[in-house]
Amino acid sequence: MADFGKFVWYELMTTDTKAAHSFYRNVVGWSGKDAGIPGRSYTLLGPGETHVAGLMPIPQDAREAGARPGWIGYIGVDDVDAYAKRVKEKGGTIHREPADIPGVGRFAILSDPQGVMFALFKGAGTPPPGVAPGTPGHTGWHELHALDGAKAFDFYSGMFGWTKADAMPMGEMGVYQLFAIDDVPVGGMMTKMPQSPKPFWVFYFNVPEIGAAQGRVKEAGGQIINGPMQVPGGSWIIQCLDPQGGMFALVAPPA
């Protein structure tokens, strides 16, 4: 399976989908299209005619359980049911049992043993072609702030075959461990900062230039919570909150 172990989709559940759509259109340059799912509000987001993410309201039962706006990443597998069972056996939790999306694929919503949400997905059709690294409007980096970074790596590597790339010592902040899929570094893991209330994934969307993107975030009502900061390799990043409180990040090439 070409997409096994890769992040294949991203989804924002939020309290105001119309406002969120407007925000990400202005900041990341995404257009939107209704998915046409009967009885369900689901907007496809992405650059031009390409769709890379989905947008939906937080389900009522999840709201009542205290769910807040946030992004979740979908990881490709060849058997959603089998991998959901494996996640549970390794100490994770199944929040949405495997189910079909007619004509699209099969998915499940889970959390890892440290309580961080993610999803599994197997598509019904041919995966879309890959794009060049850094392509604007696509996801450029995946970062896990875990309760225990080393244990988190063991879980994901054991589940999906991710491998270690460079490890960057960060002093009192511990080690930032890059991980690779098919020998290509696509993200990093670390033990979260004490001030972070819970562990989380954050996804970095590609933009052409960080200064202009920073201005767009502020103008559209978002907040910059970290950065701009230049990272090893020369890229620039900012970490942000959208107006509904969903956390995301932006990455741009060296100026």
Side-chain angles (χ1 to χ4, degrees), residues 164-230:
K164 288 184 177 181
D166 291 342
M168 301 179 182
M170 300 187 298
E172 293 182 357
M173 295 170 64
V175 174
Y176 189 83
Q177 177 64 60
L178 272 63
F179 66 93
I181 300 174
D182 294 340
D183 296 323
V184 178
V186 297
M189 298 183 188
M190 61 183 288
T191 299
K192 74 175 184 66
M193 296 295 94
Q195 60 268 32
S196 296
K198 62 180 182 178
F200 58 92
W201 277 103
V202 60
F203 305 109
Y204 288 69
F205 306 124
N206 295 323
V207 292
E209 198 276 320
I210 210 68
Q214 181 182 13
R216 293 195 300 272
V217 170
K218 293 178 179 178
E219 290 166 8
Q223 299 177 50
I224 310 294
I225 57 175
N226 188 25
M229 179 172 65
Q230 194 167 27

